[in-house]
Amino acid sequence: MPTLRLALCQVNPTVGDLAGNSGLVREWTRRAAGAGAGAQIVAFPEMVLTGYPVEDLVFRRSFVAASKAALQRLAADLDADGLGAVAVLVGYLDADGPPQVSGDAEPGRGARNAAALLHHGRIVATYFKHHLPNYGVFDEDRYFLPGDALSVVRVGGVDVALTICEDLWQAGGPFAAARQAGVGLVLCVNGSPYELNKDDVRLPLVQRRAAEAGAMIAYVNMVGGQDELVFEGDSMIVAADGELLARAPQFVEHLLVHDVELPPAGEPGAPEQVLADGMRVVRAEAGDIPPAPTGPAVTGGTIAPVADEAEVWQALVLGLRDYVNKNRFPSVVLGLSGGIDSAVVAALAVDALGPDRVVGVSLPSQHSSEHSREDAADLAKRTGLDYRVEPIQPMVDTFLANMSLSGVSVENLQARVRGVILMALSNQEGHLVLTTGNKSELAVGYSTLYGDSVGGFNPVKDVWKTLVWRLAKWRNADAARRGDTPPIPENSIGKPPSAELSPGQLDSDTLPDYDVLDPILIGYVDGDLGRDGLVASGHDPAIVDRVLRMVDTAEYKRRQSAPGAKISMKAFGRDRRLPITNRWREDG
């Protein structure tokens, strides 16, 4: 059987950076085809040329035209680089008509989520994504029209089918067509965002599609952060019988090179064939590719999965690093209260950016305990970040001397003064302000609007409070295992959580214990359970009613919250979209 040396380039593009992304493709193709690698086919992720997702940039004809022109230039540049003989598959934005939202829209024509196979300076084949996801963070029905043809390209004596991401997540369509077309390999390019434990779902899914297609599947996924999304890679090659042949690591750029034995192509089929379900098969031929590899077979290896906490920590670090770097912020600043949330955010920031790019500010008031001040200073010493102290009480007293405030108004005033100081440091020194509210607090509105919620990015926005504690313990244990200083003070982990905005205040004064609260929130927010479902699950009806009222009335706060990396099945923002003005209540 023919042997092909296949390279999956798990790379980190930036949305809108057509020149930079083209350079990424050229650089990684050079690495894949170079000495010691010798790849004959190189595949890149979904829409790697434009970055993904491009959202409403799809509607800008100038951007679509630039994407198509960049693809043509890339094909010519690869040829000029001496890489023209290598078959290179790249995702990009295409269009065969005006945007569907325009007055001159044409039925059946418009923007396309596309992939193109480049060879010898030309575009040999183009594939338009067939299944368009329209759930969770995806709005592809808003942007794209589906393709109705499966592109099959003969490369090195093997028939290779081209597919894109969601095509893999649904039965039928392109993979069923691939079986009827008799292909030996399906290349699937992906922009599949991270969720906790999604890697456990992905392998069985690829195995099901391999069985459906009766062919080997090479799955290449993007890596990196894009606003609230994190792409973790986890690229893989699975044989037709479901055997996992190679698997890339998560959360890092990676070149996966693997020799695959594939069935030879049969007699050339008709250039175009209509299948029973209405899909068309369109065939093309790439021509000569570099010689078949000699010597020992090259294997890509397989990476063992890591613990949940390690996986989430890597996702949060990558999401934060790319948000800061891709938006060209020089550094970040955050308030250090001595509590667990700010400690975890500070440790994430140091891991993502290094201590020289992180400023931590202690903002004590008259209610700040001595142990909280000491814990903030201890964290700064452990991590080496730039530590400052800015007492807020003189500023609070000035407000109170000019306004008659009491109770929760005074508590919120303290939080807002802290926000003003952090934003002032941001304006003065150019830092991005990180806010530190966890998902549990965001869910029930336990935050001060324009106070502790102030900031440009929230690394723990999608992290439940109980998971925040687990992450802190894991990070410290991981540091100890490696012989490093644990970054998070044990006092910050062990003490009862408190906003310290009034004497002796604890979170439990206002909220149920987090061990009770989080399971209710997970059921209501992530699982869309109603009141009856939550009570049937064993939760106290009175507590359920109380929690649901807090969640429902805090929607206006969440709508104004900073973006943060998505790590759950349903994050606030892109995933969970509810009206602010809404009189429906689960308690009737």
Side-chain angles (χ1 to χ4, degrees):
M1 291 196 296
T3 297
L4 293 179
R5 183 158 294 174
L6 180 62
L8 304 184
C9 296
Q10 183 172 289
V11 296
N12 186 349
T14 300
V15 165
D17 186 6
L18 298 174
N21 296 338
S22 295
L24 201 66
V25 172
R26 294 170 67 184
E27 173 193 346
W28 282 74
T29 301
R30 188 178 298 110
R31 290 174 56 182
Q40 298 165 288
I41 304 177
V42 181
F44 288 87
E46 180 177 7
M47 294 187 77
V48 67
L49 197 55
T50 58
Y52 180 80
V54 295
E55 302 186 69
D56 281 12
L57 286 172
V58 167
F59 299 138
R60 294 195 191 174
R61 301 187 194 200
S62 58
F63 186 68
V64 175
S67 170
K68 296 169 71 172
L71 183 71
Q72 295 282 356
R73 283 196 303 273
L74 177 59
D77 288 342
L78 287 169
D79 198 38
D81 291 342
L83 301 168
V86 180
V88 180
L89 180 63
V90 295
Y92 72 107
L93 172 62
D94 202 342
D96 56 5
Q100 287 295 298
V101 297
S102 63
D104 57 348
E106 303 172 26
R109 295 183 179 274
R112 308 285 190 165
N113 184 333
L117 191 74
L118 309 180
H119 191 241
H120 282 309
R122 63 191 183 95
I123 300 169
V124 173
T126 298
Y127 172 75
F128 295 155
K129 190 174 183 178
H130 178 71
H131 290 304
L132 300 178
N134 208 50
Y135 53 85
V137 300
F138 301 106
D139 295 304
E140 295 212 353
D141 269 344
R142 169 184 172 90
Y143 298 120
F144 303 114
L145 289 178
D148 63 356
L150 178 71
S151 294
V152 176
V153 188
R154 187 155 294 186
V155 184
V158 175
D159 281 343
V160 179
L162 313 180
T163 61
I164 301 175
C165 203
E166 185 69 15
D167 294 333
L168 184 90
W169 289 81
Q170 300 188 36
F175 282 84
R179 173 180 282 276
Q180 294 181 63
V183 307
L185 172 67
V186 180
L187 291 179
C188 187
V189 301
N190 298 266
S192 179
Y194 169 76
E195 293 172 10
L196 178 59
N197 297 324
K198 193 173 186 180
D199 57 325
D200 297 334
V201 175
R202 190 175 282 125
L203 175 57
L205 178 70
V206 176
Q207 290 169 327
R208 289 198 298 274
R209 292 293 90 81
E212 183 178 15
M216 183 179 295
I217 295 178
Y219 171 103
V220 58
N221 193 25
M222 190 175 293
V223 69
Q226 170 59 31
D227 295 346
E228 293 144 302
L229 301 182
V230 179
F231 301 92
E232 90 266 35
D234 194 31
S235 304
M236 66 184 73
I237 302 173
V238 172
D241 63 2
E243 180 187 359
L244 176 64
L245 302 177
R247 192 170 192 173
Q250 295 173 284
F251 307 110
V252 292
E253 291 189 303
H254 185 76
L255 178 63
L256 181 68
V257 181
H258 191 87
D259 286 348
V260 294
E261 288 190 357
L262 297 164
E267 291 297 317
E272 185 167 331
Q273 173 189 5
V274 179
L275 303 178
D277 64 357
M279 280 205 78
R280 295 178 294 126
V281 173
V282 178
R283 297 181 184 272
E285 188 159 350
D288 294 337
I289 59 172
T294 59
V298 171
T299 58
T302 57
I303 303 298
V306 298
D308 287 356
E309 292 82 4
E311 186 179 293
V312 170
W313 191 273
Q314 291 177 73
L316 296 175
V317 166
L318 178 58
L320 173 58
R321 178 188 298 128
D322 274 3
Y323 190 86
V324 172
N325 290 341
K326 289 182 179 181
N327 287 291
R328 297 174 177 170
F329 289 101
S331 51
V332 297
V333 63
L334 71 151
L336 289 181
S337 68
I340 185 66
D341 296 318
S342 66
V344 166
V345 170
L348 285 166
V350 169
D351 282 0
L353 306 171
D356 294 342
R357 297 177 67 190
V358 182
V359 178
V361 187
S362 173
L363 300 156
S365 74
Q366 64 179 352
H367 303 301
S368 299
S369 62
E370 189 61 32
H371 66 76
S372 290
R373 302 182 195 206
E374 292 172 353
D375 292 342
D378 186 18
L379 179 137
K381 183 178 179 181
R382 289 167 177 263
T383 60
L385 56 75
D386 180 354
Y387 181 60
R388 309 178 191 181
V389 180
E390 296 285 351
I392 69 167
Q393 199 59 46
M395 289 169 255
V396 172
D397 290 341
T398 299
F399 270 99
L400 295 178
N402 290 276
M403 298 181 70
S404 179
L405 301 175
S406 62
V408 71
S409 297
V410 177
E411 295 182 20
N412 288 342
L413 173 62
Q414 296 169 67
R416 291 189 175 116
V417 167
R418 288 177 171 131
V420 167
I421 293 172
L422 292 174
M423 287 308 303
L425 289 172
S426 171
N427 295 153
Q428 185 71 21
E429 301 175 7
H431 314 297
L432 171 70
V433 178
L434 301 182
T435 186
T436 61
N438 60 70
K439 190 174 184 179
S440 306
E441 294 172 349
L442 286 169
V444 297
Y446 192 65
S447 63
T448 299
L449 203 57
Y450 320 122
D452 54 319
S453 66
V454 75
F457 193 78
N458 182 353
V460 294
K461 180 179 183 177
D462 199 30
V463 183
W464 299 110
K465 182 74 169 191
T466 46
L467 181 53
V468 171
W469 273 306
R470 285 167 50 200
L471 290 174
K473 293 173 182 177
W474 172 85
R475 181 63 182 84
N476 276 4
D478 184 63
R481 178 184 60 80
R482 290 184 283 107
D484 297 336
T485 301
I488 300 169
E490 286 299 324
N491 285 344
S492 295
I493 297 173
K495 64 187 175 186
S498 169
E500 292 192 331
L501 297 173
S502 61
Q505 184 183 49
L506 296 173
D507 287 10
S508 56
D509 298 338
T510 305
L511 303 175
D513 288 341
Y514 287 105
D515 286 339
V516 174
L517 176 63
D518 277 3
I520 296 174
L521 293 175
I522 291 169
Y524 189 49
V525 174
D526 287 358
D528 283 321
L529 284 177
R531 179 188 186 276
D532 292 346
L534 291 166
V535 172
S537 299
H539 300 295
D540 182 279
I543 296 177
V544 168
D545 289 341
R546 178 182 162 206
V547 170
L548 267 53
R549 280 195 295 272
M550 287 190 287
V551 174
D552 291 345
T553 57
E555 186 61 36
Y556 77 102
K557 286 188 177 182
R558 288 190 293 273
R559 193 68 67 87
Q560 300 178 69
S561 64
K566 165 185 163 66
I567 57 117
S568 74
M569 64 182 297
K570 185 166 286 190
F572 289 127
R574 295 178 64 96
D575 268 330
R576 188 178 188 268
R577 312 177 197 183
L578 291 174
I580 296 174
T581 304
N582 172 21
R583 291 190 179 179
W584 169 255
R585 295 293 180 265
E586 284 290 335
D587 60 7

